[in-house]
Each structure stands twice: as structure tokens, then as C-alpha cells.
Amino acid sequence: MHDYGFGQGYGFGHGFGILLWILILVLVVVAAGFIIRGLGGNTAGKSSSRDKSALEILEERYARGEIDHDEFERRKRDLQDRNPGS
């Protein structure tokens, strides 16, 4: 006699049971990744833009070619005018 999905595959039929376990495994791995990232696991040698000063960010943009020399100098003066002690 056939069980029609109640004996094998944990009640989900022959093929669906394995797919369910694969889905559960993928969800566990994704959840673990989010937990690790949330605990600071993604800071391997990289500093966050929140840790950088405005001048450092400006220098990086200039180095990448996002802004030209005139724009860099203008923005640098603006930053120094706002923070005279820097």
C-alpha cells in the first residue's frame, strides 16, 4: 500500500520534503549571516564612513576623480572655515 505522502518526506510528499529541508538550511545560513554582520563581523580592516572626517571623505572623492581640483579646494576651504581649529 502507498502512504501518499504521510510516511515518507515528513508529510510533504516524496520531493517536497527535501526541498523544505533545503529551504530551512538556507534560512538558517542567511539568519546567521545577518547576526554576524550585526555583531560587527563586517569591519575586517575597513573603517566606516561614520568614522572618517569630512576632510578625509573629500580627499577620497578627489583621489577617485569624482571632483576636480578646483572643487576640492573650494570644499576644503568651506570645511576649514566651518572648523577654524582643524
Side-chain angles (χ1 to χ4, degrees), residues 53-67:
S53 70
L55 183 58
E56 290 171 329
I57 295 170
L58 182 63
E59 289 169 346
E60 287 178 1
R61 291 188 63 201
Y62 178 61
R64 286 192 300 260
E66 294 178 10
I67 57 176

Side-chain angles (χ1 to χ4, degrees), residues 28-78:
V28 167
V29 169
V30 169
F34 278 119
I35 291 170
I36 290 171
R37 190 175 309 161
L39 295 175
N42 65 342
T43 58
K46 293 183 178 180
S47 61
S48 170
S49 61
R50 289 175 282 176
D51 297 333
K52 296 178 184 176
S53 70
L55 183 58
E56 290 171 329
I57 295 170
L58 182 63
E59 289 169 346
E60 287 178 1
R61 291 188 63 201
Y62 178 61
R64 286 192 300 260
E66 294 178 10
I67 57 176
D68 63 7
H69 181 72
D70 293 333
E71 180 75 8
F72 171 76
E73 289 298 328
R74 184 182 65 75
R75 291 180 182 223
K76 183 178 171 185
R77 276 193 309 274
D78 289 346

